[in-house]
Amino acid sequence: MADPRGFMTTPREEWPRRPVGERVRDWNEVYVPGALLPLVNRQAGRCMDCGIPFCHDACPLGNLIPDWNDLVARDDWRTASDRLHATNNFPEFTGRLCPAPCEAGCVLAINQPAVTIKNVECAIADRAWEEGFVPPRPPDRLSGRTVAVIGSGPAGLAAAQQLTRAGHTVAVYERDDRIGGLMRYGIPEFKMEKRHLERRLEQMRAEGTKFRTSTEAGRDVDAGHLRARFDALVIATGATAWRELDVPGRALTGVHQAMEYLPLANRVREGDLEVSPLSAAGKHVVIVGGGDTGADCLGTAVREGAASVTQLDIYARPGAERDEDAEPWPTYPKLYRLSAAHEEARELRTAPVADADARLFAASTLRFTGDAAGHVRSLHLVAVDARRRPLPGTGRSLPADLVLLALGFSGPDRENGLIKQLGLELEPRGTLARDAGFATNVPGVFAAGDAARGQSLIVWAIAEGRAVAAAVDRYLTHGPTRLPAPIGPYDRPMTA
Ligand SMILES: Cc1cc2nc3c(=O)[nH]c(=O)nc-3n(C[C@H](O)[C@H](O)[C@H](O)COP(=O)(O)OP(=O)(O)OC[C@H]3O[C@@H](n4cnc5c(N)ncnc54)[C@H](O)[C@@H]3O)c2cc1C
Ligand code: SF4
């Protein structure tokens, strides 16, 4: 422990965000550039180096958090980077995008603000790139074995990098025209600039991973052909089947799924389109769904110049403090959290509703109504109790020219040709079935990430990618593997 009194003398301080008025005029990350590094040594020094670091276990990757906190506090960035990359292929992604269940499990968080673990992780990752600590690591020799990874989200990329480094020849097939999965076309630039993704992909190409874009396995290339051509397949196709809202008026124009809206905004940023065909500019926008996808729609609509934006959440507003009986430390509690997008909505007063940060809690959508041309103009809702029963006399309407449905995802697209051509079995809830070694019912075919776990998080996707790589390596070599496996598929509950 670099500073035994750090947690008593240094208050928690987070990477500051840029002023709202400035950041909503561009699409860059919300944080003040260059403001993280000067903070981070002292923040890392708040770590108590506990005998039993619960943060390890709370992180799905098992990141060695106290080790790198100590190294950062001592200014040994190179070793900190080595320790961090030993458990996480892409810490610059998690350092920006992870909801940090580790911080909920930090021992300091029992009665004080947790160590800023996520910020320290991000600082190590960024500095490692700046200082050249993460050159490509191509394998010393090739195994002669081949693997096709289907899907290039964080699960597919982590699996591909691990297997390439182990000496196997890996090709990643992606149906989109660019690599990255939801990190490319779902998550907006203001949460993570795509240059971080490009830099990692360059590293992976230099290590020998091959990428085949605009190629849908099961449509553009037959899955049986892939199975015959490669020694193993990893299916990491994500959970893209979105949930619907079956209420009157759903068919009106202007009612769209979040994942129809967000990719278009991301394509504008990539330079593919001048303006999004679904742009929120000048429109009254209502987002149905209180999660992170909804918050991403909110931040995007604000930047596009919406006339108003409201986000509806069917759940009651959570409390600001952990409920120790229902969700005791070190579990990840459901709390009222103010994301960057909500902070923007609050300051700009985007919503025509009383709740100042644009969210209406305990609100259930009844129907949409439109104009003579069949375009949505209003959303009608009612307040509900904890069992989602309507409360009499609470009906109201909101102006709505653009409605975005952000109700989550049920699993992989069942119509995906890949599933049918390979004859993959599904779990009753719709995800790909697999055993404790990540193997599907088809020999040599493995499954990882949201496609098998269900809608989850980037940190889980990377953990699954690392673990499936270890399973595939064992399968290919008929022996032990040197690749680490942070998780088994069913060994933990979904924490965050
Ligand atoms: C809008 C949004 C915001 C999010 N924000 C966060 C966040 O801030 N933090 C966080 O931790 N998590 C976030 N998540 C969740 C996170 O993005 C996912 O859990 C994660 O990306 C899952 O990774 P994956 O590799 O399993 O799948 P995905 O990232 O979904 O990638 C799957 C890829 O497979 C491709 N594919 C599918 N079928 C085929 C086929 N037949 N052939 C070839 N390619 C195919 C798809 O095109 C896609 O590129 C967010 C999700 C959404 C929707
Ligand atoms: S990956 Fe997420 S849970 Fe793990 S240390 Fe980083 S912020 Fe914490």
Side-chain angles (χ1 to χ4, degrees):
M1 195 182 349
D3 180 1
R5 294 175 56 80
F7 67 97
M8 291 189 278
T9 54
T10 309
R12 176 180 165 111
E13 215 179 322
E14 291 177 39
W15 190 359
R17 294 172 182 158
R18 294 186 287 140
V20 166
E22 174 194 313
R23 70 189 198 227
V24 297
R25 289 202 299 273
D26 63 46
W27 292 84
N28 300 339
E29 281 172 13
V30 295
Y31 299 107
V32 179
L36 179 58
L37 277 181
L39 285 181
V40 121
N41 294 70
R42 278 168 58 78
Q43 288 302 310
R46 293 182 70 234
C47 178
M48 300 187 291
D49 196 11
C50 314
I52 300 176
F54 286 82
C55 54
H56 270 196
D57 197 51
C59 171
L61 287 161
N63 274 347
L64 305 169
I65 297 160
D67 287 23
W68 36 260
N69 274 333
D70 181 56
L71 290 159
V72 165
R74 293 174 196 278
D75 242 353
D76 183 355
W77 292 86
R78 182 185 285 275
T79 319
S81 164
D82 290 347
R83 285 280 212 292
L84 178 54
H85 285 90
T87 56
N88 188 352
N89 295 66
F90 312 126
E92 67 277 28
F93 304 164
T94 44
R96 290 178 166 79
L97 299 169
C98 189
C102 55
E103 293 186 18
C106 173
V107 174
L108 205 49
I110 293 174
N111 64 354
Q112 280 197 48
V115 175
T116 53
I117 298 170
K118 173 175 161 176
N119 282 180
V120 177
E121 179 175 25
C122 198
I124 299 171
D126 286 359
R127 183 128 181 200
W129 280 108
E130 273 165 32
E131 307 250 349
F133 298 155
V134 277
R137 285 174 36 207
D140 295 335
R141 56 196 154 88
L142 294 178
S143 68
R145 298 304 189 125
T146 56
V147 184
V149 174
I150 320 294
S152 70
L157 291 180
Q161 185 164 63
Q162 292 294 93
L163 287 164
T164 301
R165 287 178 172 176
H168 306 304
T169 301
V170 180
V172 179
Y173 287 81
E174 170 54 56
R175 68 180 171 193
D176 272 329
D177 55 349
R178 290 187 180 87
I179 297 292
L182 287 171
M183 294 185 304
R184 172 70 69 180
Y185 287 129
I187 293 171
E189 188 108 14
F190 55 82
K191 272 171 58 179
M192 186 180 84
E193 291 168 12
K194 308 298 171 194
R195 65 191 169 92
H196 302 294
L197 183 54
E198 296 301 347
R199 201 167 45 182
R200 265 304 162 186
L201 295 177
E202 228 172 273
Q203 181 198 45
M204 290 181 68
R205 284 190 191 97
E207 289 170 351
T209 306
K210 305 274 182 279
F211 292 102
R212 312 258 182 273
T213 50
S214 304
T215 310
E216 180 169 335
R219 196 191 64 183
D220 303 315
V221 53
D222 184 79
H225 167 74
L226 289 177
R227 178 69 198 95
R229 188 172 150 210
F230 289 90
D231 296 315
L233 300 189
V234 175
I235 314 289
T237 46
T240 48
W242 51 55
R243 296 211 173 90
E244 256 307 333
L245 182 65
D246 246 345
V247 297
R250 167 64 182 92
L252 290 167
T253 16
V255 182
H256 296 278
Q257 286 284 347
M259 278 305 291
E260 294 173 313
Y261 169 72
L262 290 171
L264 290 169
N266 272 310
R267 283 194 180 276
V268 173
R269 300 298 311 144
E270 296 277 5
D272 297 346
L273 298 168
E274 208 156 298
V275 181
S276 165
L278 297 184
S279 171
K283 294 178 186 162
H284 294 288
V285 180
V286 184
I287 300 156
V288 184
D292 287 347
T293 302
D296 289 352
C297 292
L298 175 63
T300 302
V302 165
R303 281 163 180 73
E304 287 178 338
S308 75
V309 196
T310 313
Q311 185 181 8
L312 307 182
D313 192 332
I314 194 134
Y315 295 105
R317 182 182 168 131
E321 300 288 331
R322 183 194 282 279
D323 176 346
E324 284 296 346
D325 294 327
E327 299 170 311
W329 176 90
T331 59
Y332 188 81
K334 189 166 168 55
L335 293 180
Y336 175 79
R337 294 184 171 88
L338 197 69
S339 72
H342 293 121
E343 189 181 60
E344 290 156 11
R346 185 180 63 180
E347 205 166 311
L348 300 174
R349 297 207 153 267
T350 65
V353 294
D355 280 29
D357 74 359
R359 277 177 285 190
L360 260 185
F361 290 97
S364 177
T365 305
L366 295 175
R367 64 184 190 284
F368 308 113
T369 49
D371 58 19
H375 195 101
V376 67
R377 292 295 171 218
S378 302
L379 179 149
H380 308 273
L381 62 93
V382 68
V384 289
D385 66 13
R387 293 166 64 189
R388 300 192 184 178
R389 290 174 305 200
L391 299 175
T394 59
R396 63 188 292 188
S397 301
L398 294 173
D401 311 312
L402 176 63
V403 174
L404 299 171
L405 305 178
L407 301 159
F409 303 86
S410 58
D413 181 0
R414 286 175 192 236
E415 296 311 309
N416 204 316
L418 188 66
I419 296 178
K420 289 186 180 158
Q421 288 172 13
L422 288 174
L424 295 175
E425 285 174 5
L426 299 176
E427 296 287 353
R429 65 183 182 131
T431 51
L432 295 181
R434 58 182 180 180
D435 67 14
F438 293 82
T440 67
N441 58 305
V442 181
V445 179
F446 296 77
D450 281 10
R453 169 173 285 276
Q455 177 189 358
S456 187
L457 295 171
I458 284 164
V459 62
W460 276 110
I462 299 172
E464 291 238 339
R466 291 171 68 82
V468 80
V472 171
D473 190 42
R474 264 195 306 272
Y475 170 80
L476 292 176
T477 57
H478 305 289
T481 178
R482 293 179 63 192
L483 294 178
I487 51 165
Y490 309 117
D491 64 350
R492 286 159 192 253
M494 297 253 296
T495 44

